[in-house]
């Protein structure tokens, strides 16, 4: 262990303590599964840039490229990432050293381990964000689909779990679609900021190595607003953005899960989960537990904690590496978990049965037409609103004290008499249809809103496909370039061995 | 107490318990200082819209407008916001009732208390975000200014508090400017999302009241992507955005504070805070404590906690009001606190003295030219990088064991001999100047980056001024319209009592 | 402003910046309402100790005592605590200086501002913890009382909101009483640790002032395990304990609130809150919202955030004051808020109506006797448990597919036939009574457990009363001693100018 | 997959969705590594209790015991815990079914999956807490040892990183030992509460199965204050305690790490980490980064986040399983991580070199004798403290303006003249020795405090050894009893098939 590690610095008389290996290095080394691919691309871009600049002579360069291409062709799990070596970067260096000896050292010319790590992380983060984008778009799509199928599913929308106002279940469902769709924008903003990476930045303040930095970034498919090497190296806001956007998406899924837990209870009985999302009990033979919903809610708690830890972690002084040791992994796992929670909730939503008959039967329970009725008293009898509201409230109170949960025909007659308005009992459908304006629960309006939203999501999905394709192409091109270059050593001048 | 409260609903046999008044209602009522102005604007817009729609007849409408204008002319602290009445909205209703009796009731036609609250909150949040934007821009400006004054302040930049690489203090400072400048974009995105408010949305699902909703929004200076009334009423992502952006800005200020705490220590002695930011000790006569820095860091911890509480709070089921009861106040106070921390750090930065002589004296301590030297060995002697790195490391290790903190002329000669390179001892200035590329610490590069950033901030400040002006004008126009309308009752037709 | 402040140190050329006053000093000064009483006691103990040691001569000592007694007789709100002076300690020093001139300076002999603050804080924290203890004991008492009144309120206990097993509502309620009662122990442990204060500790490492430290602590009614002055001054674990115990208590209240939100929904209809805990709607005339429950849940979110901020805050290096600047207030407000949430939930619980008839009617809905039935199949027919469980599960599934929510007599007959057991349909009462063992829902067992718990709480309340009385007596004694001493200056020898 | 899963309930037409397996079940199944041992013990205790009660007939019982003993003899990693089966309990049931067929079903008689999980978790938590106890005791021991070795290492203790008062490094180090030692009590309190488990509690409300519950608990080595089955099943305060105590311990380690990061900086140079805790740089040849310290600090941020997530998670309604799905693993991993951070910091502390010469050289820099000097002016010249303090402050200010960092002999003479006191320049040693009182930095006092603490820790370690031994013995006894019983089937009467 120590011998290999010592090889790096030769400044130390002993290698790392086993406890340090079992904690810090193990944590960092485990991140190879996220960083392997990006480290490979970063290394290729680095070597090609040094070679273009005439700094790295052949055959050292071409041999190193050959080894890099070989590693790039393999998955992280096929390779010996070993905590005893340090982090993923160190392990790679050992792998390369085994293949090309001291030529591997060129990878550190003009570049710190942490620069390579940043590039790899942001490449991985971009991939993860695009996957999250796709998952969220899928959730939005599921909510739109089920909303459109429930445009005329009358129900009493709730506040504080109390019946509030007659509406449609389609209107209810679409509200989650809109909230989730806004996360697409957030994901894109975070994705864009992930383009901000240090390039041959030396320790932090730059280097004399004369590489073509714009070309370097193009090779990686990265780039963003110009900044300084210190900012690109040490700023933490990009990390926070990723954590925050993961929390945003999970919270939306969790809120729907929380609602559905209630709606799936026996007394409500509005939602029945698919068997594939339920769980039996080994003890209670009759149980059919909505397990998937607690998975979503609990996972969101975990995510919320992770993001809290992230904020605590980055709130240290600048240029401290604990921002990164843990957060490469923590952040990417958080995005992955947020995606899983969103996908699971989308699947539950797609497969659930809604008991729309039961919803409709109870749509007027709890006097949910009261506000509409007060409005009718105003418009038809010229009462002022306070008086109208009080009349209806008194009527509802009296009915409730009688033990009724709805207004009766007699209540309507009394109200008509008291107000002078021409009133007849309302049904859920006509109440909802009477509210014809942008954004309301009226089926036409929900339909229009859903259509608009679907077009928006298609639009954003096009962006995602394009971004993903560009990233994939850049990566392929880079590996191909490395492969070609490794096979064609050049005669280097300027720098002579 | 109870009598007034009962007046609202007449459904209850008792008023709220004193404990409920002392907890929930007190919390909500205290928010009047944030919501008063926005509630006034929301009420004016509502009454004008109802009046335009011919729903609200005069003189009720004009009298109500008159009372609203009177309240709008006064500050929250001049008015009797009283927890015994409930929340700020309820208190206002009582004030209006005292002035115009049951005419006050019209304010609830087509609109819940919480809709008025949302509008008022988002108006207040927009103001708060613009103030934060200005504060952050000021911080960026301060960092740019001091960066430009320290383009040639050579120092050893640090990682893990260990000397890393020769750089300039201007390069160091500018990294905070870039990080903070990105917050401007985040603030703007959050500001934009605050345009998403429910408009005459009834309980949640719409209403029959035939108002012109686009005109309503124009009066308020609001508006955004179209959505449903349920989404506008109950989504929580807008709240989270505001909290997250506050955390972002505070974290940046806190990171600089943490650095400066170190730099202000006697052994470092790089930074001396202005007396106005220090604190004496009543016990230790010699103390001169960098108090302001701990205020910034501690305040950031408080903010981080607030935002954690916010996430926990909104992660409930949908349509639960505890999202809002506490968060109106929590969120706006958090933004305010983040602004204070940023402003204070900006002021500290502006007023602090930097001991650039001391920085320069130590710029090469800890062998900080080592990486540059290794690069020179490569470029001048054709060594491979691993070998060059090892040679320098061995030289530094030997020097350190001798008790030196710098390389000596002899060390350089030895290295020259070992490598065949033509080497002479470097000074900090030439090392930094030799790294001439975009983003590096070279004075020209930092100057160019600072200029670019300053133009960007000026640009964003123009946006802010415009946005602020538009909001202020909309508000003035709305009050003026209310004033005029209150003085000119119209003969209402259509709706006749 | 500055002049007064400068008086303290005379080391500064300017006073604090207005922004520093508006942030740090305002925050600290606001804490006077918590710290005033304790600072008064700390100052009295300090002066008496110095006087006993012959260090502080009369008449300076007696005049200073007179002024301290005068301040101790007044509330924080009657006195001019002013951020422009700094923190509460500084303001007090100014008040004293206005009364006795430079004699006020003796308060800083051997003692820092922060030592006085620690003592005052821990005294305030002990009071707050005793109040919380009383509130929690009250909550436990309320839960016991209502549990005993519902020993035979049969219902189906729930998991995942799904009917699980027939039980009693008394058993349900008592589980909260037990959880809350454990908080009493936690509060006591935290209270005990609050005895750990620095005593005449100088800057941190002690002082030459020869006071009798044990007597000093006795005067304050404090004391604990011996430790070093640095630990007593700077350790943060005591702060964390207080925050954690507040979170503990609020979480218990919030969990009951969350349950009751569901139980108060129309489809459940198990719980009806008292009017005094509900809220009407200005728009929806029929609404009767369980407002108090959302106040409890939302307040718990706020507390959770506060505690998260506290942990972030104390996780700095040692001897940094931001641990304390904000946390004096944050921690004490958090305890207060936790007490309010607990008290409010206790009041809601005491006043709520339970619809036990409805609970009983539905006790067997959802096949909740299934597990009991499977046990009967085992014990009466000798089936193995897996087979018995499967038989019951199949029966329930078939019934459910028929559209039934309960087993019918026919189902029982079929099961009897299949299993060979002698079965007759069960009723809720006999099912519960058949489970006669410690901790079960059987009325006798719940009764016994409730009695045991009540005795425990009475016991703990005796501890609390004793602790509270001792603290109050120590405080009275201290003020009285100061009053007497101020009226009887002694001829000081030993120390003569 | 599905077939096996369906076998459990036979109520479902499909098995779990792959996404549910990949999320919820994977999370739960992964916890086998923590729960395997405890589930084995719980199962053995359960079967033995059923057998003692004559409920479970042989040979079913003895065969099942045989299979359980076989599993108990193997580690979790040797067995096929498979997410496709559900959680660890389900996997075990499948393993048992493969071995003994439907006899495996008896494990669910009178007991839910979650009861078995609770028992297994609390057994695992007790083990983890004892390990943490040992680690913390080790940290305390390390701090005591190094404190005793530095009783006369004079230094200037710091506040805000500013020199405050002359003290000893031994006094500094001991403050961490005291803080950490208090965690031992917290760990023990948490350990005790982990004895509170449900025993044959049925769904939640008890069962008719007539087992001897006290004997059941004795077999498991568990037991605690009596409570109800619902409390034991669903209370969350025990979870929170474990999380909180983990956070407590990590915060202490992290605070020392944060200090040492500073002390290891070149300008301070007080602490030099062992090579085994440092890290080289691949780019900066001279670097020797104090890597272990950032591992400790960063790990503490992660822990803080985990605990925040835990609180969010348990703050749901009662009887919701997301409290447990994730938290079994999250909580135990958090305790493990806290132990690692504490152990690593203890190791760093043990191996670090302290440059006590440098500390001593600077002990008086920054006028750190100022407070002592003011005290001397009071005691020797009879000046009042304010005047004395002002004189010293003015002297220090003047010296500082001269560019000095210490008082000169001339300063002392001037002070002597101004005050009339007999003064001679102080040295660090005599200053510290002059403060002879309990808890001060005087070497004798620190020595006494360290001795007292060491005795306390030895005492607590005895408790731990005893507790650990008792647990180990109970476990061995239980497995042995199962082994014996499996080999000696009894003729069962009473229950005959």
């Amino acid at each position: 262990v120590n011998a290999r590690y010592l090889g790096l610095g030769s400044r130390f008389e002993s290698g790392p303590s086993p406890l340090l290996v079992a904690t810090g290095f193990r944590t960092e080394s485990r991140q190879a599964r996220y960083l392997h691919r990006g480290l490979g691309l970063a290394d290729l871009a680095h070597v090609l840039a040094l070679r273009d600049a005439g700094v790295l002579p052949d055959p050292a360069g071409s041999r190193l490229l050959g080894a890099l291409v070989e590693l790039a062709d393999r998955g992280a799990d096929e390779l010996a990432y070993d905590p005893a070596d340090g982090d993923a970067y160190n392990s790679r260096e050992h792998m390369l050293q085994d293949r090309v000896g001291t030529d591997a050292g060129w990878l550190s010319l003009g570049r710190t381990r942490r620069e390579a790590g940043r590039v790899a992380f942001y490449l991985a983060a971009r991939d993860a964000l695009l996957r999250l984008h796709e998952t969220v778009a899928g959730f939005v799509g599921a909510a739109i689909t089920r909303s459109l199928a429930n445009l005329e599913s009358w129900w009493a929308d709730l506040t504080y779990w109390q019946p509030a106002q007659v509406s449609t279940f389609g209107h209810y469902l679409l509200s989650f679609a809109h909230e989730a769709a806004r996360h697409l924008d957030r994901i894109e903003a975070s994705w864009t900021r992930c383009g901000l990476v240090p390039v041959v930045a030396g320790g932090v303040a730059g280097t004399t190595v004369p590489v073509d930095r714009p070309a370097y970034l193009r090779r990686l498919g990265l780039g963003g607003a110009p900044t300084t090497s210190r900012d690109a190296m040490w700023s933490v806001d990009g990390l926070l953005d990723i954590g925050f956007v993961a929390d945003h998406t999970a919270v939306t899924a969790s809120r729907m899960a929380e609602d559905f837990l209630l709606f799936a209870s026996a007394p409500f009985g509005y939602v029945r989960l698919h068997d594939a999302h339920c769980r039996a009990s080994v003890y209670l033979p009759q149980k059919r537990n909505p397990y998937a919903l607690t998975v979503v809610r609990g996972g969101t708690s975990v995510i919320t904690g992770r993001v809290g830890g992230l904020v605590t972690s980055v709130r240290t002084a600048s240029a401290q590496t604990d921002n990164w040791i843990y957060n490469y992994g923590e952040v990417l796992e958080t995005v992955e978990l947020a995606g899983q929670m969103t996908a699971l909730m989308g699947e539950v939503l797609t497969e659930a049965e809604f008991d729309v008959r039961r919803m409709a039967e109870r749509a007027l329970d709890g006097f949910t037409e009261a506000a509409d009725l007060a409005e009718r008293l105003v418009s038809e009898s010229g009462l002022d609103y306070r008086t109208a509201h009080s009349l209806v409230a008194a009527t509802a109170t009296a009915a409730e004290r009688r033990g009724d949960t709805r207004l009766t025909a007699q209540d309507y007659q009394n109200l008509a008499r008291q107000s002078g308005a021409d009133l007849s009992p309302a049904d859920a459908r006509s109440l909802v249809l009477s509210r014809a304006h942008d954004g309301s629960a009226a089926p036409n309006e929900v339909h229009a809103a859903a259509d608009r939203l679907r077009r928006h999501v298609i639009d954003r999905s096009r962006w995602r496909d394009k971004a993903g394709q560009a990233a994939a192409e850049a990566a392929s091109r880079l590996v191909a370039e490395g492969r070609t270059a490794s096979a064609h050593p050049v005669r280097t001048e300027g720098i002579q061995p």
Side-chain angles (χ1 to χ4, degrees), chain A residues 97-134:
Chain A
Q97 195 166 311
D98 291 345
R99 285 161 173 78
V100 298
T102 55
D103 291 347
W106 287 103
L107 284 169
S108 296
L109 175 58
R111 190 182 72 154
T112 54
R113 179 169 52 207
R114 86 188 100 87
E115 177 180 315
R118 300 296 191 268
V119 171
F121 170 75
Y122 283 121
L123 285 170
R126 281 198 155 185
D127 280 353
L129 287 168
L130 290 188
R131 281 195 301 274
L132 183 63
H133 192 282
E134 183 167 12

Side-chain angles (χ1 to χ4, degrees), chain A residues 138-150 173-174 177 350 450 454:
Chain A
F139 175 86
V140 175
I144 290 174
T145 299
R146 301 235 57 186
S147 171
L148 288 172
N150 286 280
L173 290 171
L174 198 63
T350 296
R454 194 191 288 281

Side-chain angles (χ1 to χ4, degrees), chain A residues 7 64 79 93 112 170 198 206 236-237 295 362 401 403 433:
Chain A
L64 184 48
L79 296 165
E93 207 177 41
T112 54
V236 297
D237 56 317
V295 170
R362 297 191 190 161
R401 288 189 184 143
L433 288 176

Side-chain angles (χ1 to χ4, degrees), chain A residues 283-346:
Chain A
Y283 177 73
L284 301 160
Q286 86 284 7
K287 285 304 276 310
R288 204 179 160 283
N289 286 322
Y291 176 64
L293 299 175
T294 60
V295 170
V296 171
R297 183 175 56 184
T300 302
S301 296
V302 170
I303 288 166
T304 295
R306 292 288 191 284
V307 175
L310 172 65
V311 180
T312 299
S313 168
V314 302
R315 205 286 312 264
T316 48
S318 73
Q320 305 288 315
T321 50
D322 40 340
N323 298 347
W324 296 92
I325 295 169
Y326 292 94
N327 288 334
Y328 284 139
E330 290 283 310
V331 165
L332 293 172
E333 281 169 25
T334 299
V335 173
E336 189 180 5
L337 186 54
Q340 287 176 328
M341 298 303 102
T342 304
L344 184 56
M345 194 61 225

Side-chain angles (χ1 to χ4, degrees), chain A residues 342-409:
Chain A
T342 304
L344 184 56
M345 194 61 225
E347 190 180 281
V348 167
L349 171 61
T350 296
E351 302 292 337
E353 281 174 40
F354 302 142
D355 190 340
V356 298
R357 206 168 51 86
R358 183 176 251 206
M359 290 180 194
E361 279 168 9
R362 297 191 190 161
L364 293 175
D365 280 0
F367 316 103
T368 54
E369 80 272 49
D372 298 83
L373 198 48
E375 285 176 14
R376 281 171 69 196
L377 294 190
V378 168
S379 68
E380 295 184 20
S381 75
L383 286 183
D384 73 280
Y385 188 67
R386 171 63 55 82
T387 305
H389 183 277
S390 297
L391 268 179
V392 177
T395 305
T397 302
E400 196 182 47
R401 288 189 184 143
R402 281 194 323 256
D404 285 343
T405 58
R406 296 196 185 200
L407 300 185
T408 60

